[in-house]
Amino acid sequence: MDPFEPYRNEPFLDFGDEATLTSFRRTLGEVAGRLGREYPLVIGGAHVHTEERLDSLDPCFPDRVVGRASMATSEHVEAAFDAAYAALEEWSRRDMADRARHLVKLAAIMRRRHAELAAWEVYEAAKNYLEASADVAEAIDFCEYYAREAMHLSGRARTYDHPGEENTSFYQPMGVGVVIPPWNFLLAIMVGTTVAPVVVGNTVIVKPSPSTPVIAAKFMEMVAEAGFPPGVINLLTGADADIGDALVDHPRTRFINFTGSVATGLRINERAAKLQSGQRWVKRVYLEMGGKDALIVDETADLDLAVQAAVASGFGFQGQKCSAMSRLIVVEDVYDEVLERFVAGVEALRVGPAEENADVAAVINQRQFEKVLGYIETGKVEARLAAGGGRAEAAGPGYYVQPTVFADVPPSATIACEEIFGPVVAVMRAKDFDQALTYANATTYALTGGLISRDRSRLERARREFRVGNLYLNRKITGALVGVQPFGGFDLSGTNSKAGGPDYLRLFTEMKTVTERF
Ligand code: NAD
């Protein structure tokens, strides 16, 4: 059906291979020599430099400037809408295969620059080597996958015949959208949430997180190289206070594709609902938001697997994944043993600079650092501290937080209910599997979750009753693969748009039906 070779997930760089590791260290050195440069806004393909600059800092060495991004104002917002609408006319009329080839080309460029892009992520977001490579691989996957999925939307929709008439239903683009990604999957989510609306014929304005504007600038270099026409993808970096509301409120915004926290998501939802003067449509808003993800371990579980899965799910990328395990719910019979082994696993994690490939590096910025430390203080009042418990000063001058575990956390505790988004895990004791499942389902979030068990009937029950968008049985609960595990939650975790899934592209289209009687 599509003209491309079969889809498969992009492999991560293999850092177990000595040559790959040595080569990556060399790439890190090369990228280090390019830190501190200035990056423009990109509006209609033109580079726009502003006087004021947004400094992107290395979380592990906050006085190291990774790059200096231009800062957009409301004037640039208007110019970006002009450019995106100017590009829309031609781009929206192209063949689907033509647009899809741009994504395949972009994927090829990212594949060639895989190590370099991962190196930028090490500096800009404090990802260790594997986390950085996984993010680049996911960005490539989004391009390759959506290129192929787009071909399924290029023809007629499935409808029945009616005598004497020709009836045709087809999908068409909606218009100009605003893409607002978070900093945590700085390349992957930005790329995925951008190229999906674009491949089906929309044009977009991308507003990345102020914490990670440099990777966004790198993305725009590749967008140009891939041959996207000017104005199809526009980049506005800057402060949310200057341009966030302006983009959301704008009467020419047709849709908003947001990934981030509940607080920001709900604000966007509310503002976008208001009809602005001159606005001719109901804005479509997609919100993929936070999680308070739980892993249940029951008394039948393989405890080696349970501990390994818990450490990886809780502390990979410093716990700053929407899918990260922030609650470990253990059935009483094995509680003490699991807790002891989990704490031992957590205490063995090496905290230090991402560029040295530490297991746990710094959290993203000062604000997040203070927020996480604040939750740790709350945890000390609400529960029993079992590991960590504060700043990891020995690791260096960056925003390092000790991998922290609280034990005997009651289900009503703040640290059992609110998303912390850092290396902090609440361990909860349940008297049996029933109670564990009740605890797991007790938050307003429903993003990821997992169960480690050998009991067939419980695994089946979890399939039905564990209320999360992505449920993992007998493995870690992070690392969803594009095209394999469509990703997105229920409830306050979001609108369940399922990134990397077969229904995703449809969200950025409208269906038109034409009936002709002869
Ligand atoms: P955030 O809500 O602070 O920011 C998200 C994006 O919104 C950023 O681009 C930010 O600059 C922008 N923003 C902030 N205020 C805005 C405003 N007033 N108007 C318009 N845009 C505004 O979230 P974050 O700290 O960047 O990311 C972490 C959050 O993202 C966590 O809650 C995490 O769970 C969530 N997340 C969810 C998923 C998912 O798929 N469900 C994936 C990754 C991250």
Side-chain angles (χ1 to χ4, degrees):
M1 177 152 182
D2 66 53
F4 311 117
E5 61 185 291
Y7 173 77
R8 63 187 170 86
N9 293 109
E10 183 69 15
F12 307 158
L13 297 180
D14 175 10
F15 297 107
D17 172 54
E18 204 50 49
T20 307
L21 187 63
T22 307
S23 158
F24 188 68
R25 293 213 167 104
R26 199 167 40 240
T27 308
L28 278 171
E30 285 160 14
V31 169
R34 287 187 268 149
L35 301 182
R37 294 192 179 168
E38 304 201 334
Y39 296 96
L41 314 174
V42 182
I43 302 175
H47 288 186
V48 179
H49 289 272
T50 64
E51 205 128 292
E52 254 200 286
R53 296 280 170 175
L54 173 71
D55 286 350
S56 170
L57 307 177
D58 180 341
C60 297
F61 299 93
D63 53 7
R64 180 194 268 168
V65 177
V66 178
R68 310 189 69 213
S70 286
M71 291 187 76
T73 61
S74 52
E75 250 173 75
H76 301 112
V77 169
E78 288 308 324
F81 275 106
D82 289 346
Y85 273 97
L88 181 66
E89 203 166 329
E90 198 264 338
W91 182 249
S92 64
R93 290 198 183 131
R94 290 202 189 194
D95 281 355
M96 196 68 92
D98 174 345
R99 289 192 300 252
R101 279 183 208 105
H102 289 74
L103 272 61
V104 175
K105 176 69 183 176
L106 180 58
I109 296 167
M110 288 195 284
R111 192 172 290 118
R112 282 181 211 123
R113 291 176 65 171
H114 188 141
E116 183 219 335
L117 293 167
W120 281 107
E121 296 203 21
V122 168
Y123 292 117
E124 190 165 45
K127 292 210 178 217
N128 67 21
Y129 301 177
L130 192 60
E131 294 288 348
S133 170
D135 191 59
V136 176
E138 188 176 352
I140 295 169
D141 284 350
F142 276 128
C143 291
E144 297 279 10
Y145 176 72
Y146 291 143
R148 285 157 181 76
E149 285 301 305
M151 300 311 299
H152 297 294
L153 291 183
S154 66
R156 292 178 47 176
R158 213 163 18 85
T159 50
Y160 292 95
D161 294 328
H162 188 73
E165 286 181 0
E166 181 196 349
N167 285 286
T168 321
S169 292
F170 52 92
Y171 301 100
Q172 62 181 28
M174 291 196 296
V176 173
V178 173
V179 178
I180 307 181
W183 49 262
N184 69 333
F185 289 97
L186 54 168
L187 187 64
I189 293 183
M190 178 181 55
V191 169
T193 54
T194 297
V195 300
V198 161
V199 74
V200 292
N202 303 286
T203 60
V204 298
I205 301 168
V206 184
K207 192 222 69 63
S209 165
S211 293
T212 52
V214 172
I215 201 80
K218 298 287 151 199
F219 170 53
M220 293 308 289
E221 290 170 13
M222 298 185 289
V223 162
E225 188 184 339
F228 285 87
V232 170
I233 301 174
N234 303 279
L235 176 72
L236 295 186
T237 44
D240 294 318
D242 295 338
I243 54 169
D245 289 347
L247 286 164
V248 169
D249 296 349
H250 205 285
R252 288 200 280 173
T253 298
R254 180 65 187 87
F255 63 90
I256 297 162
N257 200 15
F258 169 85
T259 309
S261 64
V262 168
T264 312
L266 294 182
R267 177 193 174 94
I268 288 174
N269 198 42
E270 192 174 339
R271 298 188 76 104
K274 188 170 173 354
L275 192 71
Q276 304 287 340
S277 161
Q279 183 182 324
R280 304 162 58 122
W281 44 65
V282 179
K283 288 175 190 169
R284 265 201 224 165
V285 179
Y286 300 113
L287 307 169
E288 295 311 310
M289 307 191 286
K292 188 68 193 173
D293 312 310
L295 178 68
I296 298 176
V297 179
D298 79 2
E299 73 280 14
T300 71
D302 172 341
L303 298 190
D304 292 334
L305 168 66
V307 170
Q308 207 180 35
V311 173
S313 306
F315 296 94
F317 188 39
Q318 296 79 267
Q320 300 172 120
K321 301 183 186 183
C322 51
S323 53
M325 178 199 77
S326 59
R327 295 178 295 153
L328 175 59
I329 305 174
V330 187
V331 168
E332 201 151 55
D333 289 1
V334 287
Y335 182 87
D336 291 336
E337 186 179 351
V338 170
L339 177 64
E340 189 186 322
R341 291 174 62 182
F342 178 57
V343 166
V346 172
E347 285 178 337
L349 293 171
R350 205 164 41 84
V351 184
E355 66 184 88
E356 289 172 19
N357 203 19
D359 300 315
V360 176
V363 300
I364 190 72
N365 55 31
Q366 174 93 34
R367 211 183 82 200
Q368 198 56 24
F369 181 59
E370 284 166 10
K371 186 174 151 201
V372 174
L373 292 177
Y375 273 115
I376 289 176
E377 292 313 307
T378 304
K380 287 176 185 170
V381 178
E382 294 181 326
R384 177 165 66 86
L385 183 67
R391 186 176 177 180
E393 277 161 53
Y399 306 123
Y400 296 102
V401 176
Q402 291 176 324
T404 296
V405 177
F406 287 102
D408 311 339
V409 179
S412 59
T414 311
I415 60 162
C417 300
E418 294 182 13
E419 185 182 51
I420 299 172
F421 222 58
V424 182
V425 169
V427 184
M428 301 164 70
R429 183 196 298 265
K431 69 177 181 340
D432 53 22
F433 173 70
D434 275 14
Q435 189 173 54
L437 195 53
T438 304
Y439 286 173
N441 285 337
T443 74
T444 51
Y445 294 103
L447 189 49
T448 72
L451 169 62
I452 311 287
S453 173
R454 289 192 179 100
D455 185 314
R456 190 72 248 155
S457 67
R458 289 180 187 169
L459 293 166
E460 292 299 329
R461 250 189 89 194
R463 279 175 186 264
R464 291 188 304 270
E465 296 174 30
F466 201 145
R467 187 167 168 75
V468 288
N470 287 69
L471 177 66
Y472 297 93
L473 305 175
N474 287 322
R475 54 153 280 183
K476 69 177 176 131
I477 67 170
T478 55
L481 290 170
V482 172
V484 177
Q485 293 134 354
F487 190 80
F490 309 141
D491 302 338
L492 284 179
S493 289
T495 49
N496 191 236
S497 50
K498 286 290 187 194
D503 302 330
Y504 193 68
L505 296 183
R506 169 74 181 86
L507 303 176
F508 308 101
T509 64
E510 307 178 307
M511 186 192 280
K512 183 165 181 175
T513 301
V514 179
T515 299
E516 182 169 355
R517 188 163 288 181
F518 297 102

